[in-house]
Amino acid sequence: MFQDILRRFLHSRGLRVLQVMNLTDVDDRIIQKAAQAGTSIREYTEKYIEAFLQDMGALNLEMPEEIVRATDHIQDMVDLIERLQKKGLTYPSEGSIYYRIAKFPDYGKLSKINVSGMKAGARVDNDLYEKDDARDFALWKAPKPGEHFWETRIGPGRPGWHIECAAMAMKYLGETLDIHTGGVDLTFPHHENEIAESEAATGRPFANMWMHAEHLVVDGEKMSKSLGNFFTLRDLFLKGTKPSTIRYLLLSVPYRRQLNFTGDSLRQAESSVERLRNFVTRLKTEKFGTGSSAQIEKLTDKAEADFDAGLADDLNTAFSLAAVFDLVREANTAMDRGEFLQQDAPRVVAAMEKFDAILAVLVDNDAEKLANVGFAPKKPRMPGEQIEALIEERNTAKKRRDFKRSDEIRQQLAESDIILEDSKDGTVRWKYK
Ligand SMILES: [Zn+2]
């Protein structure tokens, strides 16, 4: 979600974005599980990749320009390892190839890890090792009996995790990336090792900027299967949570702050989205007096400037959202007082659309999003034109005092999960339940 906000913000500033997302479709566990299941790595990972991409769609995440798989880039990894071999940064041991971190003086610069106490030659095979424990790491791993391996120029085996990212990132983005993103837990050892691999090979900075997202916690605790507070996006959908609610909740907390995921925060997110959608409906349907208000123009300009300033401040989405809700509150008050005028409406609608180019929660397409991940709505929705026609008919029935017919129509719409709101000025607004 944080990466989506980042790319949408860069777009809003007129920048061209080339985002590359890698799918780590090979690591120790995947190889092991695929072997246990008696399937190929490709087959084993396919269903997860598909579900992941579907989930991205459900949350309205824009697709990166490139989505690349590690297993399609084994040769690029071998090439990079050979470059490191030629520079004397590696050593072989029992069929594996290790990176000698003592040969890279900058080791530790990203995570500020202290390498002084490190025993030379202490090495580790696991992709994930202890925090604060710097060791030589495997670039290439010897095959294990019964498990998949690749036959290559540097010998049979499989790639270490860190080399996958370094090789793929440089292939698609060049030797120096503008921005490298990731979870805060990846700073060490993963990103530290990516730097060691790439910078030692190229002699250039690997990334000009690193952005690390904090973790999400559930009711103040780390999400884990053993605590019973572990759930997937689809578990939430099953419980009736709307995709837009989750999107809003995830984006509402700036990426560098820990997000505490609770039932309460979900309910609040849902009502915030409702509030934004109702506001836009009101702007588009209510009748206002002629003219325009200098006050509303000023408020709108300020909201737009603050929204942008928040995002420009290291993606401070909380600040940006506060600006949006200030505008919503003030404009609603002005409408209630009759101080909001006809020509203000398109101006404020345009501002809301600008905000939504980044927030992406205004369009009420939750049912469709859910259907795309296999949660079909209970009954097909009545199309908008049909609803409008029935409302029209109800209005004329009311005018000729045919209350039996107008009640029938209200009933029919209610049964189709459509909520009607009669407003003071006589217009009728509707929405799906
Ligand atoms: Zn990585």
Side-chain angles (χ1 to χ4, degrees):
M1 187 61 69
F2 127 68
Q3 291 157 337
D4 186 63
I5 298 299
L6 173 61
R7 57 173 287 133
R8 286 171 184 266
F9 173 61
L10 296 173
H11 274 148
S12 80
R13 286 294 190 97
L15 291 164
R16 190 171 63 86
V17 176
L18 169 55
Q19 182 189 357
V20 181
M21 179 170 76
N22 68 309
L23 301 169
T24 306
D25 64 346
V26 52
D27 69 7
D28 292 347
R29 230 174 10 179
I30 291 171
I31 292 181
Q32 220 175 59
K33 293 231 167 143
Q36 279 164 12
T39 60
S40 69
I41 291 174
R42 201 63 167 196
E43 237 178 305
Y44 180 76
T45 52
E46 192 62 48
K47 56 184 180 292
Y48 296 104
I49 290 174
E50 200 164 302
F52 173 68
L53 296 176
Q54 279 181 356
D55 284 2
M56 280 186 72
L59 289 178
N60 241 347
L61 302 180
E62 291 181 346
M63 284 296 150
E65 284 65 27
E66 297 277 0
I67 300 179
V68 296
R69 293 176 187 222
T71 51
D72 288 333
H73 297 82
I74 301 296
Q75 189 52 49
D76 300 289
M77 298 171 207
V78 169
D79 291 346
L80 183 55
I81 293 169
E82 283 183 323
R83 281 172 83 179
L84 294 169
Q85 280 178 327
K86 280 191 198 113
K87 296 200 166 185
L89 286 142
T90 70
Y91 60 92
S93 178
E94 292 163 23
S96 297
I97 300 170
Y98 292 88
Y99 187 103
R100 196 186 294 281
I101 66 174
K103 288 255 182 159
F104 183 65
D106 271 350
Y107 194 85
K109 68 175 174 179
L110 179 71
S111 58
K112 314 281 190 291
I113 195 165
N114 182 5
V115 293
S116 62
M118 190 214 135
K119 264 197 281 169
R123 58 177 195 266
V124 64
D125 273 281
N126 276 335
D127 285 330
L128 286 167
Y129 48 94
E130 282 304 300
K131 238 180 146 74
D132 305 335
D133 182 16
R135 291 171 185 232
D136 291 347
F137 56 91
L139 296 163
W140 188 255
K141 300 177 184 189
K144 282 190 190 162
E147 292 185 1
H148 184 83
F149 64 93
W150 283 267
E151 196 63 70
T152 72
R153 283 199 308 263
I154 54 172
R158 62 213 215 196
W161 173 33
H162 318 298
I163 199 76
E164 296 177 15
C165 294
M168 286 191 281
M170 289 197 288
K171 173 164 187 173
Y172 291 91
L173 294 165
E175 292 182 344
T176 301
L177 287 53
D178 291 320
I179 307 172
H180 192 309
T181 64
V184 69
D185 55 321
L186 297 180
T187 314
F188 179 84
H190 186 50
H191 293 157
E192 199 69 70
N193 291 349
E194 282 183 34
I195 291 173
E197 292 164 340
S198 54
E199 296 192 358
T202 67
R204 290 168 198 230
F206 178 50
N208 286 328
M209 188 185 294
W210 290 84
M211 296 177 83
H212 289 110
E214 250 304 338
H215 282 159
L216 172 154
V217 293
V218 178
D219 294 317
E221 292 192 271
K222 195 178 163 192
M223 195 195 249
S224 77
K225 284 203 167 125
S226 59
L227 282 173
N229 65 355
F230 178 93
F231 37 80
T232 65
L233 190 59
R234 290 167 199 227
D235 294 336
L236 292 172
F237 290 160
L238 205 59
K239 284 193 221 157
T241 310
K242 291 178 191 165
S244 61
T245 303
I246 299 167
R247 177 174 173 94
Y248 183 91
L249 176 57
L250 294 181
L251 71 79
S252 65
V253 176
Y255 76 101
R256 283 173 64 169
R257 237 191 274 159
Q258 217 171 47
L259 186 157
N260 190 17
F261 195 95
T262 63
D264 245 8
S265 63
L266 265 184
R267 278 185 290 278
Q268 274 172 28
E270 184 176 14
S271 76
S272 296
V273 174
E274 277 294 289
R275 202 146 173 248
L276 295 176
R277 289 178 180 174
N278 289 342
F279 177 63
V280 174
T281 307
R282 190 173 184 191
L283 286 169
K284 287 183 174 171
T285 56
E286 206 162 298
K287 302 269 183 291
F288 306 108
T290 51
S292 70
S293 144
Q295 178 65 8
I296 295 294
E297 181 175 357
K298 224 173 86 188
L299 281 170
T300 311
D301 288 349
K302 180 172 170 10
E304 284 190 27
D306 286 351
F307 184 83
D308 181 73
L311 292 173
D313 182 14
D314 200 10
L315 303 181
N316 188 346
T317 49
F319 186 91
S320 297
L321 284 173
V324 175
F325 280 99
D326 280 349
L327 176 64
V328 171
R329 196 186 51 247
E330 304 270 357
N332 269 324
T333 308
M335 288 180 203
D336 295 342
R337 290 189 185 145
E339 291 163 7
F340 190 97
L341 302 173
Q342 219 171 62
Q343 284 163 45
D344 300 329
R347 187 192 306 279
V348 180
V349 167
M352 292 300 288
E353 279 166 1
K354 221 184 218 179
F355 303 148
D356 201 51
I358 285 161
L359 305 176
V361 293
L362 278 185
V363 181
D364 184 359
N365 55 5
D366 286 305
E368 193 187 310
K369 298 268 179 211
L370 285 171
N372 289 343
V373 283
F375 295 85
K378 280 176 221 102
K379 48 189 166 192
R381 283 181 149 199
M382 187 184 283
E385 308 87 76
Q386 197 184 338
I387 299 167
E388 307 277 352
L390 281 166
I391 291 173
E392 192 65 45
E393 196 193 331
R394 177 168 166 263
N395 287 343
T396 37
K398 267 179 163 177
K399 271 185 202 137
R400 54 168 205 271
R401 307 188 63 78
D402 183 354
F403 297 116
K404 186 169 165 280
R405 180 63 191 141
S406 75
D407 281 348
E408 263 172 25
I409 294 170
R410 183 176 259 281
Q411 189 60 28
Q412 184 188 350
L413 290 168
E415 278 163 14
S416 309
D417 284 339
I418 288 140
I419 302 169
L420 294 185
E421 284 169 17
D422 296 302
S423 62
K424 271 185 275 173
D425 63 8
T427 54
V428 179
R429 277 184 250 148
W430 64 269
K431 60 182 181 187
Y432 294 113
K433 197 170 163 184

